[in-house]
């Protein structure tokens, strides 16, 4: 397989790069207008809000009164390592699967509860939150919010938008704003190398000739013909950008098993064979922002949460805990890391975590939980307040409660929260244009 085919397969084609020539001299400089970073964390499969962001005390919501409340925490069915009551995190309570590491950071993030997804379908809920717009049937409408962020901030990074195990949509944004998708954490070290990290027996003189060809500008035709078209210019520009990327030596920052990255492995708790876990993915996000590879990272922090049977009690809390704990370690890493261009990276990063919907507040006949119309989200970082709760779910049934958008408190006749409100707030917090979402931000979340 030649380099062009490999780059195309790996997602490193023309649409993946937005870097002008002179990459290495500018990679550490912040964008003149937007010195900002984003992380979009997806919890795949539909998370259990009772175990995470919207808990209930089983002493008040017991098996005895669940017919009246419509809520069954069932914390006593979890593995012994998990608390039987919610975790008091200071400004609010979190479910047992949130874990102590995330609870310790409660002052750094806020929670949005009572979001109405209006769907029980994975594809619809996922694409609704990713784009901040209601899908047309199963089809996403509009751009990923991550793509909107990247498109507005510019192309001053080798890979402006990095994605891992999450869908991405680019309808009308610049080509560079679409995510370069990687299939596995370890692939980054290979993709960023000039020789793709693969052994080769090509003689040096042949490699030199190929390198000269790679660098040469192709004048296909006069300016009035195909060679002078915008498409041809874009191809030539991105060809040069791709060349800059693979000669930048950035791949060394993603060789997670190397001695140089021992502190990264220790901080995130990455043991042998653990790269493709929430901890490895969080490390990928932190490194991409820290070393100046990307401004926007979209990734799945936790997967396989769609537990409809007895595996809910054993698998769901463990997977949710790992996702939240990896998130906590990502936040603490960013808080102690200097951003390219100076300043703490966390002070310049906006983060949002979401799932396609939550799970039913009562167990089904198989001792699992099904899909629920309600949802919640976690937002944090630059431009946003920490330690705040917006919205709520009701009893019985944990349905969304209408709120006063100004205060975020429950109000009869108020507005039901939706993914648009969350994503509009995220864009507004960074000073970006959110008009395409046709919604309003939540002012009590804005710093």
């Amino acid at each position: 397989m030649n380099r062009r085919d490999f780059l195309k397969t790996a997602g490193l084609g023309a649409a993946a790069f937005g870097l002008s020539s002179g990459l290495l001299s500018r990679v550490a400089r912040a964008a003149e207008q937007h010195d900002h970073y984003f992380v979009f964390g997806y919890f795949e499969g539909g998370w259990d809000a009772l175990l995470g962001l919207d808990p209930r005390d089983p002493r008040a919501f017991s098996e005895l009164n669940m017919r009246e409340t419509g809520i069954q925490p069932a914390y006593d069915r979890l593995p012994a390592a998990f608390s039987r009551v919610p975790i008091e995190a200071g400004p609010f309570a979190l479910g047992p699967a949130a874990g102590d590491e995330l609870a310790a950071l409660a002052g750094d993030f806020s929670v949005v509860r009572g979001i109405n997804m209006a769907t029980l379908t994975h594809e619809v809920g996922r694409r609704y939150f990713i784009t901040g717009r209601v899908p047309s049937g199963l089809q996403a409408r509009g751009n990923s919010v991550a793509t909107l962020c990247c498109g507005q901030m510019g192309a001053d990074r080798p890979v402006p938008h990095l994605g891992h195990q999450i869908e991405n949509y680019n309808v009308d944004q610049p080509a560079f704003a679409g995510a370069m998708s990687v299939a596995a954490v370890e692939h980054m070290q290979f993709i960023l190398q000039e020789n793709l990290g693969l052994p080769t027996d090509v003689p040096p003189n042949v490699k030199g000739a190929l390198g000269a060809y790679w660098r040469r500008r192709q004048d296909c035709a006069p300016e009035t013909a195909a060679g002078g078209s915008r498409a041809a210019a874009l191809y030539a520009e991105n060809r040069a950008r791709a060349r800059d990327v693979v000669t930048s030596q950035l791949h060394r920052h993603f060789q997670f098993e190397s001695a140089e990255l021992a502190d990264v492995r220790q901080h995130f708790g990455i043991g042998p064979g653990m790269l493709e876990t929430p901890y490895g993915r969080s490390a990928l996000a932190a490194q991409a922002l820290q070393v100046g590879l990307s401004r926007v990272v979209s990734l799945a922090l936790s997967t396989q949460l769609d537990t409809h049977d007895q595996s809910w009690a054993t698998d769901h809390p463990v997977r949710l805990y790992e996702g939240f704990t990896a998130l906590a370690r990502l936040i603490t890493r960013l808080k102690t890391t200097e951003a390219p261009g100076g300043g703490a990276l966390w002070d310049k990063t906006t983060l949002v975590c979401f799932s396609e919907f939550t799970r039913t507040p009562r167990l089904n006949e198989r001792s699992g939980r099904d899909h629920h119309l309600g949802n919640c989200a976690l937002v944090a970082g630059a431009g946003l307040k920490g330690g705040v709760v917006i919205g709520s779910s009701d009893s019985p049934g944990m349905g969304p409660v209408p709120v006063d958008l100004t205060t975020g408190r429950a109000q009869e006749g108020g507005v039901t929260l939706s993914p648009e409100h969350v994503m509009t707030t995220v864009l507004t917090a960074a000073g970006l244009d959110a008009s395409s979402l046709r919604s309003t931000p939540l002012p009590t979340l804005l710093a």
Side-chain angles (χ1 to χ4, degrees), residues 244-255:
D244 281 342
V245 169
V246 299
T247 58
S248 66
Q249 301 300 307
L250 285 172
H251 69 278
R252 295 176 179 175
H253 299 285
F254 298 91
Q255 293 176 330

Side-chain angles (χ1 to χ4, degrees), residues 28-38 153 156-157 295 339-345 347-350 382 430 432:
R29 293 207 306 265
E32 184 175 336
Q33 184 176 5
H34 292 293
D35 187 14
H36 210 101
Y37 303 83
F38 285 91
M153 289 191 298
D156 72 331
R157 290 294 184 269
R295 279 204 180 274
L345 193 48
D347 293 336
K348 300 179 180 182
T349 303
T350 300
L432 301 179

Side-chain angles (χ1 to χ4, degrees), residues 1 24 27 30 40 57 83 102 110 135 148 175 180 202 232 236 242 301 313 328 330 339 391 422 433 437 439:
M1 179 183 293
L24 296 180
V27 70
F40 292 82
D57 192 330
S83 172
L102 185 65
S110 291
L148 285 175
M180 185 198 81
V202 177
L301 280 172
L330 172 59
V422 176
D433 179 15
L437 302 188
S439 187

